[in-house]
Amino acid sequence: MKKTLISLLLTGLGWAQPTYCNPVDLDYKYNFEQLPERISYRSGADPVIVPHKGSYYLFVTISGGWWKSKDLLHWTYVKPDKWPFEDMCAPAALSVRNKLYLFQSTFTQRPILELKDPDQGKVEFFNRWLPLMKGADGPWDPSIFHDPDSDRWFMYFGSSNVFPLYGIELDPKRQLSYKGHPKGLILLDPEQHGWERFGQDHKGDIKPFTEGAWMTKHRGKYYLQYGAPGTEYNVYSTGTYEGDGPLGPFRYAPYNPVAYRPGGFACGTGHGNFFQDLKGHHWLTGTCWIGLNWGMERRIVMHPAGFDPSGDMFCDTRFGDWPHGLDGQFRGWMLLSHHKPVTASSTLTKEHPPDHASDENLRSFWTAARARKGEWLTVDLQKTCTVRAVQVNYADDHSDVFDNGPRVYTEFQLLGSQDGRKWELLHDLAKEPRRDRPCAYVQLARPARLRYLRYVHGHVAAPRLAIADLRVFGSAQGKTPLPPGPPEVRRDSDRRNVFVDWSRQPGVSGYNVRWGIAPNKLYQTYQVWADHQGPLEIRALNLPQGYSFAVEAFNESGVSPLGPVVSCP
């Protein structure tokens, strides 16, 4: 009885429940697209998660296989028994009536596959090939949609800054061959939609790209989702058009973008898929940007999503790279390591010092002098805190790994200390099954009271030990901030841009600027740190839509209530 009561109390406190943290903790595969240049880096992009027969299957660009999970938390890599062609880029996947279909991006003729036994990697032909597409180049970046109400099948595809996203019906009586001709459905309109502008913070001068089509049907309405404006920057996002039929006509949703995260650690939410898990929760997967070794170096993110009572699609990216429960709820575990002092056993060059491991930047990193066992990195939290989880994000610095063989795995220990002299073992990856973990997320078995958190190196495959960030989550004693006052909101002469300012407070780590098309629809979040100077420029608005804005503050103890909402026509 006593043990049961304690268990219930711990569950109620939340930390005993499993959590995940973006980027998703996956054994990302080394990418060989640029093999002639001898660039070695791990990457994953364009995710599709499909529930199928009580499990989840994750398909990712150029991964040589797929992943299986029972809980969206623990993923096991599955290597197919055979590929009938080269590896897959931006694959389409769909489960219908207990059949799991898979189709690759192509400009030529390719088959639709059926995964007869996806746990064992069994790949069979559903059809031998689709005919050549007539009337459009493709289908590149395809998705397949089955309408359960009409039993009709469709394919959506396209990846271009010139051509639209297309849709075409498939014929189930002819093994899902094309039926008719493709129809152009949507084009980007950056002159009207600020978030569709290309470049870092939407400040580029290249014509933007659209890709990553995905279709969702909800209460009789069709939501055609798309990725824009380009995968290589912090503003890669997901938008949607709404229609009354699977091939339109489609109406631009005024609440776009649906998924947007330009600030924070794991930036970017474009080119993924919308799905409902086995417990009824909605999710939106996406691609976040690194771009350190190559412009297409990326990782996978997963954010809670859904539909509001009026049918607007939304995605919650608030604290989107901090620990969340598998119900999609933010657990309130705050980041304790941001800009905290870091010491190391050794450093290879002054260009990659230890303090890069606490700067919340996936594109900067610390490199040890040697990648030998026992090298360490220590974060001083500067006061005793309650630590609940740690994320170790590795960087590929001068990697020479051109295979995904048995030497590719990750091992380390996490130690904690109150005084920096006496250490306690918190977690040891050597006691777990071996796998590679470029974004290793460890939820501690129990909360630990400590001031110092130490990473002790065991093994990486690459010749250099490089850590982008050692992120520590939990809580510090102290008061949570007060809500900021009403923000000052000024829409620019270019109404796609807005400037938001607010009163700063002492003892605050950062702020979330939240906005949306109505006071009760503040679905967008832009996270900034407390050292952000001047007003925040947001370049993601739609013409001629009006908006509402509010600001919340956070520190290492918690989050303030949301401040007053200010509307701006």
Side-chain angles (χ1 to χ4, degrees):
M1 179 69 181
K2 185 177 180 181
K3 286 185 177 180
T4 302
L5 180 60
I6 292 173
S7 177
L8 288 172
L9 286 171
L10 294 179
T11 300
L13 290 172
W15 68 264
Q17 296 295 312
T19 57
Y20 79 97
C21 187
N22 286 319
V24 173
D25 186 356
L26 200 68
D27 49 335
Y28 297 89
K29 302 308 175 185
Y30 279 91
N31 193 305
F32 314 127
E33 280 186 295
Q34 309 304 325
L35 188 57
E37 287 81 3
R38 304 299 293 174
I39 298 174
S40 168
Y41 60 95
R42 288 164 290 190
S43 188
D46 318 321
V48 177
I49 294 180
V50 179
H52 177 71
K53 293 185 177 181
S55 297
Y56 302 96
Y57 296 90
L58 167 61
F59 303 90
V60 176
T61 285
I62 311 178
S63 294
W66 56 85
W67 286 264
K68 176 197 172 181
S69 175
K70 283 289 187 181
D71 57 7
L72 294 175
L73 182 63
H74 304 93
W75 294 96
T76 301
Y77 181 70
V78 179
K79 190 172 181 61
D81 57 351
K82 58 184 176 182
W83 278 128
F85 37 65
E86 68 279 5
D87 203 351
M88 286 191 164
C89 205
L94 183 67
S95 175
V96 178
R97 292 191 281 265
N98 288 327
K99 284 188 177 182
L100 183 55
Y101 300 88
L102 185 63
F103 182 65
Q104 72 174 132
S105 294
T106 181
F107 289 113
T108 58
Q109 291 177 292
R110 287 292 186 270
I112 294 178
L113 304 176
E114 182 184 346
L115 305 187
K116 291 280 191 178
D117 186 352
D119 294 3
Q120 301 301 318
K122 299 298 182 183
V123 179
E124 303 288 344
F125 287 102
F126 175 74
N127 56 29
R128 282 292 171 175
W129 61 77
L130 290 176
L132 288 172
M133 177 75 71
K134 296 180 180 179
D137 289 332
W140 194 263
D141 276 10
S143 70
I144 302 174
F145 169 68
H146 172 256
D147 190 332
D149 299 315
S150 65
D151 202 24
R152 295 168 68 191
W153 295 70
F154 299 86
M155 182 179 287
Y156 304 91
F157 65 95
S159 179
S160 174
N161 66 347
V162 177
F163 300 106
L165 290 185
Y166 294 93
I168 189 170
E169 189 165 359
L170 304 178
D171 189 347
K173 296 180 180 179
R174 298 175 56 244
Q175 294 185 297
L176 299 181
S177 291
Y178 304 126
K179 189 174 182 179
H181 295 279
K183 178 182 179 182
L185 299 178
I186 62 173
L187 279 166
L188 296 185
D189 187 2
E191 297 302 316
Q192 294 289 316
H193 312 146
W195 71 276
E196 291 180 351
R197 289 175 288 182
F198 194 73
Q200 185 77 358
D201 298 318
H202 306 294
K203 294 181 178 180
D205 55 6
I206 295 176
K207 192 174 182 180
F209 291 78
T210 184
E211 56 190 358
W214 185 262
M215 175 60 76
T216 301
K217 187 177 184 180
H218 177 71
R219 295 183 178 177
K221 186 184 293 184
Y222 298 84
Y223 296 79
L224 177 59
Q225 297 132 69
Y226 62 104
T231 188
E232 306 98 322
Y233 298 101
N234 66 323
V235 293
Y236 196 33
S237 308
T238 294
T240 192
Y241 277 70
E242 300 174 352
D244 298 322
L247 293 177
F250 289 101
R251 305 173 295 274
Y252 179 79
Y255 50 83
N256 275 318
V258 171
Y260 189 67
R261 185 166 175 78
F265 182 69
C267 300
T269 56
H271 201 143
N273 80 306
F274 186 98
F275 73 98
Q276 190 171 17
D277 69 22
L278 300 174
K279 295 183 178 180
H281 305 116
H282 291 97
W283 300 90
L284 192 65
T285 67
T287 304
C288 82
W289 168 62
I290 298 179
L292 179 62
N293 291 285
W294 193 257
M296 299 298 177
E297 183 182 8
R298 297 161 289 180
R299 295 284 188 269
I300 304 302
V301 293
M302 186 175 74
H303 295 289
F307 300 92
D308 71 12
S310 59
D312 292 357
M313 178 182 277
F314 67 86
C315 177
D316 184 6
T317 64
R318 175 177 173 264
F319 295 114
D321 45 40
W322 296 15
H324 279 62
L326 295 176
D327 57 359
Q329 296 299 309
F330 171 53
R331 282 291 181 257
W333 300 354
M334 311 309 291
L335 183 68
L336 305 174
S337 51
H338 181 230
H339 279 327
K340 294 299 175 64
V342 184
T343 53
S345 55
S346 66
T347 300
L348 183 64
T349 66
K350 64 180 180 180
E351 287 77 22
H352 303 295
D355 60 9
H356 279 185
S358 67
D359 63 0
E360 282 292 281
N361 186 347
L362 262 171
R363 285 156 296 285
S364 68
F365 54 90
W366 160 73
T367 303
R370 295 162 295 276
R372 66 183 181 185
K373 186 175 182 179
E375 295 281 342
W376 54 263
L377 188 69
T378 301
V379 179
D380 178 3
L381 304 179
Q382 298 185 306
K383 56 181 173 292
T384 299
C385 300
T386 301
V387 174
R388 300 178 183 272
V390 178
Q391 189 187 51
V392 182
N393 291 272
Y394 292 91
D396 287 311
D397 180 26
H398 289 79
S399 175
D400 64 354
V401 180
F402 292 96
D403 65 78
N404 289 298
R407 72 180 177 121
V408 180
Y409 66 91
T410 304
E411 282 185 1
F412 60 79
Q413 291 181 332
L414 296 175
L415 308 180
S417 174
Q418 294 270 12
D419 57 10
R421 294 187 295 274
K422 184 179 179 181
W423 296 90
E424 174 189 2
L425 178 64
L426 304 176
H427 196 83
D428 187 353
L429 250 62
K431 297 180 179 179
E432 300 180 9
R434 280 184 174 176
R435 67 182 178 97
D436 197 29
R437 300 180 67 176
C439 305
Y441 175 69
V442 174
Q443 180 176 334
L444 302 184
R446 62 182 185 277
R449 295 283 293 167
L450 55 89
R451 171 174 171 172
Y452 300 91
L453 189 286
R454 174 169 288 181
Y455 164 97
V456 180
H457 184 58
H459 176 83
V460 292
R464 293 187 179 182
L465 168 59
I467 293 179
D469 274 83
L470 179 59
R471 309 175 76 210
V472 183
F473 297 98
S475 60
Q477 289 184 335
K479 295 182 178 180
T480 58
L482 296 172
E488 298 179 6
V489 181
R490 177 176 61 85
R491 204 144 178 186
D492 196 5
S493 55
D494 181 345
R495 289 174 53 80
R496 296 172 297 177
N497 311 329
V498 67
F499 296 91
V500 184
D501 208 352
W502 59 94
S503 58
R504 270 52 172 190
Q505 303 177 35
V508 168
S509 300
Y511 300 89
N512 285 326
V513 177
R514 297 172 61 183
W515 81 96
I517 63 172
N520 63 339
K521 294 177 181 282
L522 304 182
Y523 301 142
Q524 308 290 0
T525 301
Y526 202 128
Q527 179 183 310
V528 297
W529 294 106
D531 57 2
H532 177 84
Q533 299 295 314
L536 174 67
E537 182 183 18
I538 300 173
R539 300 170 58 85
L541 305 192
N542 299 307
L543 302 179
Q545 180 65 48
Y547 289 88
S548 297
F549 296 83
V551 182
E552 63 186 0
F554 60 87
N555 61 16
E556 295 177 354
S557 301
V559 189
S560 77
L562 188 65
V565 178
V566 172
S567 295
C568 177

